[in-house]
Amino acid sequence: MLRVVLAEDSVLLREGLVGLLNRFGHEVVAAVGDADTLRDAVSAHAPDLVVTDVRMPPGFQDEGLRAALTLRTADPRLPVLVLSQYVQRAYAAELLDTGDGTGVGYLLKDRVGQVEQFAEAVRRVAEGGTVVDPEVVRQLLRRRRDPLEALTPREREVLGLVAEGRSNGAIARELVVSEAAVGKHIGNILGKLDLPPAQDTHRRVLAVLAYLRG
Amino acid sequence: MTRSVRYLISGVLVGAPLLVGMLLLGIVGAGLTPVLVGLPLLALLALTGVPVGALERWRLQLVHPARVPTPHRTPDEPGPAAWARLRFTEPATWRELGYALLLAVVLWPLDVVVLTVALGIPGAMIGTPAQLAIVGGEETRGVKLWLIHTYGQAFLCAAGGLALILVLRWPLVRYAHARAALTRLLLAPRQAEGQLAEVTKSRARLVAAFEAERRRIERDLHDGAQQRLVALSMRLGLARLDAPPELAARLTEAHAEADQVLVELRELIHGIHPQVLADYGLGDAIADAADRSAVPVEVDVELPRFAEPVESAAYFAVREALANVGRHSGAGRAWIQGRYEEGRLRIEVRDDGCGGADPGSGSGLTGLADRLAVLDGTLTVESPPGGPTVLTMEIPC
């Protein structure tokens, strides 16, 4: 069970999200409607996870994202899942730049409808994983060239799944290959993106970042 | 009357130095013309009317409180060169030069005459008793004309001076007003100049209103329909979890339908006004538009933030350009370059397509040029048959 602070200005959605999180056994310790209250709620409750909308009062621009970035800068280990209405590389890249890029998620709001996927993303982010919306990944796969030009279609597919925050085992199941084959692909990707061997989890995030920065 | 007097006296204070200055500039400038240094001096002489005009319009407030607007337009771009170019082509500049000459040669001496007659002579007459007292009561000349021997005569003269001031007061005020009216006639904006400025302003207002409406529609869709649809999709998702298998299948279909609508709505909202433009500015918004283009685009853009109308116009222009590349050019690649230099935003969209784009044929290019024109921007299209097409937009900002 996770203790969650939720920020979403639409009452309808906020209540829906509370219900959804409860349904999967999490406790929403605070559900707020603007960025300032979000910051207060986080310092008051010290939650396991923050879920926030991008566009929020008072300016209805990117206050929610800004608040998330501030929170992450203050405490780089605080897991934050940002829900966005837009497929936006700039938002996702800025978010992944905080901390070491682990324990963050950038999901399209539409994705909350896919309740199981959403619950899975919530769990992964809270555990320190990195989740980038498949739609953002897809758009980048379509557009980005160097240094991704060097990747084979299969390797791109694998990188996409890595960006979505999947583990090697999950990727192997998705692509119906062995886990060893996935490991080999990832090794090739990291090689082609010129990411020298270090701690393996970090390199996965760096690979995704290479992607988002274009 | 005091206002008129102040107006006339300050007129002399402007006119006399002006005469000296113009003579100096003219003589030195003409003298140095053979060695070319004189030419800029003469150009400067031609522009003396501009500051004089500004000062004279300001001085009119001494007679009449209403401000007189400037007849000049604001230059399209910063810098002295653009300023001078505009000034030399404006009729107002030459009217002001004419007025400056008139002021230096005719008006201020005339002011001196009027002031002397209406104030100087009566003033001297009023001062006669004091004058007599200073010379010790012997004899003196009143206003250098009459011999005054006694205090009786002196006081009579002073009384005459007072009467004269009262009589001459009216013509003095009339003269000052006529003088002000002449200045206004020459230095206030002509009707056409005023109208043009008004038309330009109203066009800018229309565009601003259109832009505001666009934002409002985007916000309404975002805060209303989109949120409700997300909530609906979430409910369907939850219902599916707990439904018996045969119902779950039907719920899955409904859910897929709702999600499809969400995707379309998201694209629609993005098309109306992308949030990234407001949050991150033109550079990121262009990169985003390039991401979505059907033809691969290479983006090389380094831009600061600009005012909202500039960012909007430039962004939609780039998008229209990319749409044209995708639809008509048959290009395999496109390039966008954007820079801000010397007060101009310059964006170039190039493709390797077949060319032949015609901005005059009522295509999207015309609308694009119109949008840029509101900001005094320009659009140039180079598109020879066989290609390639290069579209360049420039906005002073």
Side-chain angles (χ1 to χ4, degrees):
Chain A
M1 188 196 79
L2 299 169
R3 295 172 64 255
V4 181
V5 166
L6 170 69
E8 161 63 60
D9 61 299
S10 150
V11 179
L12 191 69
L13 260 180
R14 190 162 68 220
E15 280 169 8
L17 279 166
V18 171
L20 181 60
L21 288 163
N22 287 338
R23 170 68 175 70
F24 287 93
H26 307 305
E27 184 196 355
V28 178
V29 290
V32 301
D34 66 83
D36 287 335
T37 337
L38 167 62
R39 280 187 277 262
D40 297 343
V42 169
S43 57
H45 295 282
D48 304 321
L49 174 72
V50 173
V51 178
T52 177
D53 188 8
V54 169
R55 181 142 109 171
M56 280 211 285
F60 293 98
Q61 295 207 333
D62 54 355
E63 281 85 349
L65 180 77
R66 298 279 143 231
L69 295 176
T70 325
L71 289 171
R72 286 277 296 175
T73 315
D75 177 7
R77 283 162 314 161
L78 176 71
V80 173
L81 174 60
V82 172
L83 299 178
S84 171
Q85 222 83 348
Y86 324 94
V87 184
Q88 218 66 264
R89 167 156 48 103
Y91 294 126
E94 223 176 335
L95 198 60
L96 281 168
D97 264 342
T98 62
D100 54 9
T102 58
V104 285
Y106 176 83
L107 275 190
L108 270 181
K109 239 182 194 179
D110 307 12
R111 220 57 69 189
V112 300
Q114 316 290 334
V115 288
E116 286 141 311
Q117 275 184 36
F118 177 70
E120 178 62 18
V122 163
R123 199 183 53 73
R124 270 198 228 122
V125 172
E127 283 170 0
T130 310
V131 176
V132 178
D133 196 275
E135 189 59 41
V136 179
V137 174
R138 198 165 306 140
Q139 204 176 78
L140 291 165
L141 274 176
R142 207 157 48 98
R143 267 319 117 227
R144 290 298 121 211
R145 307 198 143 253
D146 359 13
L148 303 171
E149 213 152 42
L151 303 187
T152 65
R154 189 54 150 190
E155 285 163 356
R156 286 176 195 222
E157 210 173 349
V158 171
L159 182 54
L161 291 164
V162 169
E164 285 176 31
R166 313 268 184 116
S167 66
N168 285 12
I171 296 172
R173 279 195 298 284
E174 170 92 21
L175 300 178
V176 205
V177 294
S178 73
E179 229 180 290
V182 172
K184 201 166 138 267
H185 282 309
I186 291 181
N188 289 343
I189 294 169
L190 295 176
K192 285 182 182 173
L193 295 184
D194 198 21
L195 295 166
Q199 296 146 295
D200 195 44
T201 46
H202 280 212
R203 291 163 76 211
R204 290 171 79 108
V205 174
L206 289 175
V208 174
L209 270 174
Y211 222 36
L212 290 168
R213 295 217 185 84
Chain B
M1 165 151 158
T2 43
R3 295 157 73 95
S4 301
V5 172
R6 256 186 295 177
Y7 180 66
L8 293 179
I9 290 178
S10 58
V12 175
L13 294 179
V14 174
L18 179 66
L19 178 62
V20 177
M22 287 181 94
L23 276 177
L24 268 177
L25 260 180
I27 292 166
V28 175
L32 291 180
T33 301
V35 284
L36 289 180
V37 197
L39 286 177
L41 288 179
L42 289 180
L44 205 62
L45 179 63
L47 287 176
T48 40
V50 177
V52 172
L55 183 61
E56 286 296 285
R57 276 189 295 275
W58 177 77
R59 234 163 45 74
L60 280 175
Q61 291 177 78
L62 293 172
V63 186
H64 198 282
R67 279 184 77 90
V68 181
T70 171
H72 292 293
R73 282 191 292 135
T74 317
D76 290 348
E77 43 190 293
W83 183 86
R85 212 164 36 238
L86 177 66
R87 288 297 170 263
F88 277 114
T89 51
E90 280 180 321
T93 307
W94 304 109
R95 283 206 311 274
E96 284 174 333
L97 180 63
Y99 175 84
L101 278 171
L102 192 68
L103 174 62
V105 179
V106 179
L107 290 178
W108 79 265
L110 202 59
D111 291 351
V112 170
V113 171
V114 170
L115 283 168
T116 311
V117 171
L119 287 182
I121 294 174
M125 284 168 77
I126 293 168
T128 347
Q131 208 182 327
L132 192 61
I134 288 165
V135 295
E138 290 295 311
E139 67 161 41
T140 186
R141 279 187 180 273
V143 202
K144 313 248 156 121
L145 293 176
W146 314 291
L147 274 177
I148 306 276
H149 299 288
T150 66
Y151 277 102
Q153 283 172 322
F155 280 109
L156 200 66
C157 186
L162 266 179
L164 200 58
I165 274 198
L166 290 177
V167 172
L168 289 179
R169 170 197 162 117
W170 188 78
L172 174 81
V173 172
R174 295 309 318 154
Y175 169 75
H177 278 264
R179 165 94 165 66
L182 175 70
T183 305
R184 191 186 302 270
L185 185 72
L186 287 171
L187 298 184
R190 293 289 149 98
Q191 202 180 8
E193 287 161 349
Q195 271 173 357
L196 187 64
E198 194 40 52
V199 168
T200 311
K201 271 189 210 148
S202 83
R203 193 170 62 162
R205 277 199 299 273
L206 273 176
V207 170
F210 168 73
E211 207 55 49
E213 188 66 1
R214 208 179 178 116
R215 299 295 291 271
R216 192 188 62 75
I217 293 170
E218 184 257 353
R219 209 165 39 238
D220 284 358
L221 282 176
H222 175 97
D223 294 340
Q226 200 178 17
Q227 308 284 348
R228 282 174 168 273
L229 262 173
V230 171
L232 171 69
S233 161
M234 191 162 54
R235 272 164 204 250
L236 283 170
L238 274 174
R240 208 176 50 169
L241 279 186
D242 304 325
E246 65 277 15
L247 187 57
R250 305 230 307 266
L251 278 173
T252 305
E253 280 171 32
H255 198 180
E257 195 84 18
D259 282 350
Q260 195 48 46
V261 177
L262 256 177
V263 171
E264 279 167 26
L265 186 62
R266 191 174 66 223
E267 288 305 311
L268 177 68
I269 292 176
H270 185 89
I272 293 172
H273 193 99
Q275 190 64 25
V276 68
L277 184 60
D279 292 343
Y280 289 91
L282 194 52
D284 279 298
I286 288 177
D288 175 70
D291 279 349
R292 291 161 195 269
S293 156
V295 178
V297 184
E298 245 169 70
V299 180
D300 170 23
V301 174
E302 278 171 42
L303 297 172
R305 296 297 305 253
F306 301 103
E308 205 182 298
V310 174
E311 291 197 332
S312 279
Y315 169 77
F316 284 106
V318 166
R319 234 181 44 184
E320 176 70 31
L322 285 180
N324 283 344
V325 171
R327 244 180 274 143
H328 310 298
S329 73
R333 285 199 89 123
W335 295 263
I336 301 180
Q337 201 188 44
R339 287 289 181 276
Y340 179 67
E341 275 158 5
E342 290 164 11
R344 285 185 97 73
L345 164 63
R346 188 170 181 284
I347 300 175
E348 185 188 280
V349 182
R350 192 159 52 88
D351 67 51
D352 62 357
C354 58
D358 177 13
S361 65
S363 62
L365 287 174
T366 318
L368 211 158
D370 284 348
R371 282 201 68 147
L372 295 175
V374 174
L375 300 163
D376 283 329
T378 51
L379 173 77
T380 36
V381 181
E382 277 173 64
S383 188
T389 300
V390 181
L391 215 136
T392 312
M393 37 203 129
E394 287 198 351
I395 306 176
C397 52

